[in-house]
Amino acid sequence: MAEVVQLVEKTAGKEEDGAEDEESTPSVPPRTIWSGSLRIGLVNIPVKAVSMIRNTRISFRMLHKACKTPISFKRYCQEGEEVSLADIVFGYPLGNEKYVILEKKEIDKAKPESRSTIALDRFVSFFEVDPHYFEKTYLLLPDRSEEAYSLLRAVMEKTGKAAIGRITMHSRERPVIVHYYRQAIAATTMRYPDEIRDPSGYALLKELPEPSEKEMELGFEIVRGLTGELDYSAYEDEYKKRIEALVRSKMEGVVSVPERKKKEKPPAKSLMEALRATADSLK
């Protein structure tokens, strides 16, 4: 049988500011992450935000092999001394191991004021927004504002428009796009332009050879042959399934790891040969 350890000391809650992982049990209602109002001109729509994502990833806790107690981490400076939180300051890196020293209270003063309103000042076509700017999506629920919420939801659904504003969450101000999603209104925080790498700055990309006409023709043929509807259910977390199967087998007293299907390595081919063989296999 599997070795099961009951931890006597409960682990502390998440320390990281802004941790939003939800309980994986569907019956547990998601906690409110942010509450405030959407404002369009003189129209005010109170809402509360909950996480759109439910974390179902496999996670482990590191334990000491000898006594099976959880592993804790301590803070040490490069001189080898343990450092308490009270003795920690923050260094803004200047390069070459040089730092400007900042106190936590100085950093806190620079944080944006907590805002409870998202002022929506522009509507845009949602499907024209570059998805690389998207960060995290939250589900917005009406907060005693059913009539106004329903109106905004209907307008967004019929027009395909989304509204842009700013939101302050976890001491960070972000651009946010408020949009229609499956009979609801969602809000997706967005990255700033300087957070997105511009591929045009890479010389390697500028030096790529131009595909031949025949290569392009075969490439188009392959794409046409593989084109179809997107089916999300076809993609599963195989690692999670294998770990859960391993845990079940150990609980039953049998160590059984599901065998991976070995993929045969295809013989080496030139690009043209590989394109032609792939296109032929799709006919």
Side-chain angles (χ1 to χ4, degrees):
M1 296 294 289
E3 183 179 10
V4 179
V5 178
Q6 174 69 53
L7 301 183
V8 177
E9 183 179 349
K10 292 185 177 180
T11 56
K14 290 181 176 63
E15 296 180 0
E16 182 181 355
D17 184 30
E20 296 166 7
D21 288 344
E22 299 290 342
E23 294 289 342
S24 59
T25 307
S27 61
V28 177
R31 65 183 178 87
T32 299
I33 295 171
W34 179 91
S35 61
S37 296
L38 304 176
R39 191 178 69 228
I40 308 172
L42 298 178
V43 179
N44 199 57
I45 309 173
V47 293
K48 52 186 178 181
V50 300
S51 178
M52 179 75 79
I53 307 302
R54 189 173 75 245
N55 182 13
T56 61
R57 292 173 296 181
I58 291 288
S59 62
F60 300 97
R61 183 68 193 267
M62 288 191 291
L63 307 177
H64 184 195
K65 187 175 182 179
C67 61
K68 306 300 187 292
T69 55
I71 300 297
S72 299
F73 294 91
K74 297 182 178 181
R75 299 173 178 85
Y76 287 89
C77 70
Q78 292 185 3
E79 298 295 327
E81 295 183 15
E82 186 176 348
V83 182
S84 67
L85 283 174
D87 293 327
I88 292 179
V89 294
F90 298 87
Y92 181 90
L94 299 176
N96 296 324
E97 296 298 318
K98 293 182 179 179
Y99 301 89
V100 174
I101 302 301
L102 300 174
E103 300 285 345
K104 187 177 185 302
K105 60 184 179 182
E106 295 175 312
I107 297 173
D108 289 341
K109 287 182 180 179
K111 290 181 179 179
E113 294 181 5
S114 178
R115 297 181 183 177
S116 59
T117 300
I118 304 174
L120 303 174
D121 50 18
R122 184 174 298 274
F123 280 86
V124 300
S125 175
F126 178 71
F127 299 103
E128 293 180 2
V129 179
D130 185 345
H132 296 93
Y133 281 82
F134 292 166
E135 191 177 40
K136 291 183 179 179
T137 299
Y138 302 90
L139 179 62
L140 298 183
L141 302 174
D143 190 8
R144 299 183 299 278
S145 57
E146 286 76 6
E147 185 178 355
Y149 181 99
S150 180
L151 172 61
L152 179 60
R153 181 187 67 174
V155 169
M156 286 182 166
E157 179 186 11
K158 299 298 183 184
T159 63
K161 299 292 185 181
I164 301 291
R166 291 175 181 269
I167 187 172
T168 300
M169 186 178 288
H170 308 312
S171 302
R172 298 182 69 192
E173 186 179 66
R174 286 287 194 189
V176 64
I177 182 166
V178 177
H179 53 97
Y180 173 83
Y181 179 75
R182 293 189 177 185
Q183 303 299 314
I185 297 175
T188 299
T189 56
M190 303 180 71
R191 298 178 176 88
Y192 290 106
D194 62 357
E195 295 179 287
I196 306 296
R197 285 195 175 94
D198 183 0
S200 64
Y202 291 85
L204 180 62
L205 297 177
K206 299 176 182 178
E207 299 167 357
L208 293 175
E210 286 292 328
S212 68
E213 185 175 337
K214 185 60 178 176
E215 289 171 341
M216 289 292 293
E217 182 181 326
L218 289 170
F220 289 144
E221 186 176 339
I222 292 170
V223 170
R224 286 194 297 270
L226 292 174
T227 296
E229 297 294 327
L230 174 60
D231 180 11
Y232 288 106
S233 64
Y235 300 91
E236 296 182 330
D237 188 341
E238 296 296 332
Y239 171 70
K240 178 184 174 184
K241 289 170 61 177
R242 288 170 60 83
I243 292 295
E244 290 176 341
L246 173 60
V247 170
R248 284 195 301 270
S249 69
K250 294 198 73 171
M251 293 289 290
E252 294 167 0
V254 181
V255 179
S256 174
V257 181
E259 290 291 334
R260 283 196 182 98
K261 294 181 180 180
K262 294 183 179 180
K263 296 182 179 179
E264 295 184 4
K265 190 175 182 181
K269 294 179 180 289
S270 67
L271 176 59
M272 183 61 74
E273 288 175 329
L275 287 169
R276 187 174 288 111
T278 304
D280 290 343
S281 69
L282 297 173
K283 292 180 179 178

